[in-house]
């Protein structure tokens, strides 16, 4: 970087770390401070990176995939790069298309997009409705549940497993590690880390086994079969890429939706007038979904790497510079959203960036939106007076990537079982 907006050596934000405990105390305040000071912040944490906090700058870099890369390795192979998480986690599998640039990215995106279009995801509606009601039946008579572990985490996990053609019988062995990985200590050797790694080994083994199974017995209308199918020029994906892509759909599709649901439920418990409005008029859920997405921004940030010298609002980046796109900050930019810190259930022209922007914009957005609307409708119908135990509902201690609740015990007036549960 050359000319920085904030570069005084005694600047308290000089060591800004979006993964720190301090940032988790007040992410909205930190991002506001960065916007007020020009919207660019150079930090020396994690080997050095620049946070972009203003809407127009975040959009400009997200659109500019020719100069800002998502890939783990920059073209030229000289060691630059780092993918979409900052810092880069070398022990995690590559996030398939999310960590690829065109032209490689095109092929994978095309393969997935027809199964996740607005029209295509309508086929999941009956499944989502069945799953959420079977889950509610497990606890409705008791008058208590954990909204995160009993609904917000399982629904997206089961739906994504079904979408991928993976068995759902042991859904807890997928859902729990995927959720807990978002906030578990990454200190190598710590007991939580060891336990989590073991759970992920099981998940990785299931994915590898499913790929081997599709080689032995291809299935009709099956995504994994399509991944490894020979299209005349060899397989569409080799087994490693098929593995990464299955993993990515789980990693990108499950806890993101979980956090959107959990922040919404917490908000509704705290704001009974919003809950009453949604119960009165469930068709508001569609517009409300965008305001929950904007206000709480499940994916707070992702990263890019400059491929070559490039300018953004007169700031120069050089090849290899790491950039943090603060989607959550763009969503509160006062130049874009009137009264950005006010939650408005019926906010108009709400062009938030919670699903990203540009070619990498979330491919799962239609599915996530549909899951949100069905799950929320059923919760408001069957547990309309739920009350969250705030004190027992901690947020993620690290909100560098995602913002949500670890768990959320709640009570409500007991109800009756409606379906015969398989889950
Ligand atoms: C509320 C739920 C969700 C949120 C907030 C969310 C957010 C995002 C964001 C911000 C990006 C762009 C990242 C970037 O440009 O760096 C993204 C990309 C992506 N999302 Fe989602 N997502 C959600 C649900 C889903 C679901 C349900 C799936 C899968 C079924 C999914 C799969 C993906 C994939 C594969 C990408 C990469 C797309 C590409 O690089 O072309 N997401 N998501």
């Amino acid at each position: 970087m050359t000319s920085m907006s904030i570069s005084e050596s005694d600047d308290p934000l000089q060591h800004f770390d979006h993964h720190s405990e301090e940032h988790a105390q007040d992410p909205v305040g930190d991002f506001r401070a960065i916007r007020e000071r020009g919207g660019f912040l150079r930090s020396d944490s994690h080997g050095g990176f620049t946070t972009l906090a203003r809407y127009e700058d975040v959009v400009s870099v997200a659109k500019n995939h020719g100069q800002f890369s998502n890939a783990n390795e920059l073209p030229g192979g000289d060691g630059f790069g780092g993918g979409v998480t900052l810092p880069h986690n070398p022990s995690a599998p590559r996030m398939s298309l999310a960590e690829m640039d065109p032209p490689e990215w095109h092929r994978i995106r095309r393969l997935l997009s027809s199964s996740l279009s607005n029209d295509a995801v309508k086929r999941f509606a009956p499944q989502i409705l069945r799953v959420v009601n079977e889950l509610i039946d497990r606890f409705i008579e008791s008058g208590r549940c954990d909204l995160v572990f009993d609904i917000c985490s399982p629904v997206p996990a089961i739906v994504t497993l079904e979408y991928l053609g993976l068995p759902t019988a042991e859904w807890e062995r997928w859902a729990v590690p995927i959720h807990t990985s978002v906030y578990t200590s990454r200190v190598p050797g710590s007991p939580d880390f060891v336990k989590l790694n073991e759970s992920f080994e099981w998940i990785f083994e299931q994915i590898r086994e499913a790929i081997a199974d599709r080689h032995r017995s291809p299935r009709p209308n099956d995504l994994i079969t399509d991944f490894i199918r020979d299209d005349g020029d060899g397989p569409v994906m080799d087994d490693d890429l098929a593995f990464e892509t299955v993993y990515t759909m789980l990693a990108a599709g499950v806890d993101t939706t979980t956090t959107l649901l959990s922040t919404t439920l917490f908000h509704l418990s705290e704001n009974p007038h919003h809950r009453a409005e949604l119960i009165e008029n469930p068709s508001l859920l569609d517009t409300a979904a965008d305001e929950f997405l904007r206000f709480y921004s499940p994916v707070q940030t992702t990263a890019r790497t400059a491929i070559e010298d490039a300018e953004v609002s007169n700031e120069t980046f050089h090849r290899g510079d790491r950039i943090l796109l603060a989607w959550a900050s763009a969503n509160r930019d006062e130049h874009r959203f009137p009264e950005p810190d006010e939650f408005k259930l019926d906010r108009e022209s709400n062009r938030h960036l919670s699903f990203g922007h540009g070619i990498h914009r979330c491919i799962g957005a239609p599915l996530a939106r549909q899951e949100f609307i069905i799950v929320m409708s059923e919760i408001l119908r069957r547990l309309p007076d739920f009350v969250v135990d705030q004190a027992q509902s901690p947020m993620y201690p690290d909100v560098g990537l995602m913002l949500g609740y670890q768990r959320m015990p709640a009570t409500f007036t007991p109800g009756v079982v409606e379906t015969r549960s398989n889950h």
Side-chain angles (χ1 to χ4, degrees), residues 13-277:
L13 288 174
Q14 181 188 353
H15 310 299
F16 173 69
D17 176 1
H18 51 302
H19 290 294
S20 66
E21 277 176 32
E22 297 75 47
H23 178 65
Q25 300 300 315
D26 185 16
V28 171
D30 276 354
F31 287 140
R32 187 187 303 116
I34 301 174
R35 285 196 308 278
E36 281 169 359
R37 300 165 69 167
F40 285 74
L41 179 74
R42 172 77 176 160
S43 163
D44 56 14
S45 299
H46 305 300
F49 69 95
T50 301
T51 301
L52 298 192
R54 288 191 318 195
Y55 190 99
E56 82 182 88
D57 296 329
V58 171
V59 163
S60 133
V61 169
K63 273 200 314 214
N64 188 352
H65 56 268
Q67 292 190 302
F68 296 99
S69 168
N70 278 46
N72 268 341
E73 288 244 349
L74 290 192
D78 45 10
F80 283 121
V84 292
T85 54
L86 200 163
H88 175 58
N89 175 3
S91 63
R94 176 175 71 160
M95 294 280 283
S96 183
L97 73 165
E99 294 192 318
M100 284 177 184
D101 296 329
E104 199 189 7
W105 165 88
H106 278 295
R107 218 164 43 88
I108 314 298
R109 178 92 187 192
R110 240 193 333 260
L111 186 71
L112 291 166
S113 54
S114 57
S115 64
L116 288 169
S117 68
N118 272 320
D119 275 346
V121 299
K122 290 186 185 142
R123 73 188 187 284
F124 296 117
Q127 271 163 274
I128 301 169
L129 193 63
R130 168 179 55 79
V131 168
V132 67
N133 278 300
E134 286 178 0
L135 289 163
I136 292 176
D137 282 344
R138 285 160 51 115
F139 58 73
I140 186 128
E141 291 169 311
S142 73
R144 58 183 61 243
C145 70
D146 185 304
L147 289 167
V148 168
F149 279 98
D150 295 333
I151 304 188
C152 303
S153 166
V155 174
I158 295 168
V159 171
T160 312
L161 288 171
E162 290 189 352
Y163 163 68
L164 291 165
L166 293 166
T168 56
E170 293 186 277
W171 61 264
E172 271 150 318
R173 295 188 73 179
W174 302 79
V176 174
I178 290 171
H179 173 60
T180 49
S181 69
V182 181
Y183 55 85
T184 298
S185 155
R186 300 292 159 99
V187 179
S190 69
D192 286 349
F193 188 77
V194 170
K195 195 168 151 227
L196 191 65
N197 273 354
E198 284 167 8
S199 310
F200 268 95
E201 268 319 311
W202 181 85
I203 288 178
F204 294 161
E205 196 43 49
Q206 303 307 299
I207 299 175
R208 283 189 210 102
E209 178 45 43
I211 295 169
D213 171 71
R214 301 314 190 271
H215 277 299
R216 289 189 300 268
S217 338
R219 296 184 187 177
N221 303 320
D222 175 68
L223 212 56
I224 299 178
T225 303
D226 288 347
F227 288 174
I228 57 172
R229 176 174 46 84
D230 191 325
D231 65 359
D233 294 325
V236 178
M237 294 184 198
D238 64 21
D239 284 6
D240 288 342
L241 183 52
F243 172 88
E244 282 177 8
T245 308
V246 172
Y247 165 77
T248 298
M249 299 317 278
L250 289 160
V254 176
D255 214 62
T256 43
T257 313
T258 302
T259 70
L260 173 62
L261 288 167
S262 71
T263 48
T264 298
L265 290 168
F266 194 92
H267 178 102
L268 294 182
S269 181
E270 293 296 284
N271 296 275
H273 58 296
H274 286 151
R275 183 206 316 232
E277 269 184 76

Side-chain angles (χ1 to χ4, degrees), residues 259-322:
T259 70
L260 173 62
L261 288 167
S262 71
T263 48
T264 298
L265 290 168
F266 194 92
H267 178 102
L268 294 182
S269 181
E270 293 296 284
N271 296 275
H273 58 296
H274 286 151
R275 183 206 316 232
E277 269 184 76
L278 292 174
I279 291 176
E280 172 91 359
N281 185 359
S283 69
L284 281 179
L285 271 171
D286 196 39
T287 322
D290 285 308
E291 185 65 345
F292 285 113
L293 279 157
R294 182 193 73 84
F295 200 77
Y296 293 106
S297 299
V299 177
Q300 294 271 296
T301 69
T302 56
R304 297 290 188 269
T305 311
I307 299 175
E308 57 189 25
D309 288 0
E311 289 220 340
V312 181
S313 292
N314 297 324
E315 299 286 334
T316 306
F317 292 91
H318 299 298
R319 179 174 170 80
D321 281 347
R322 295 280 279 150

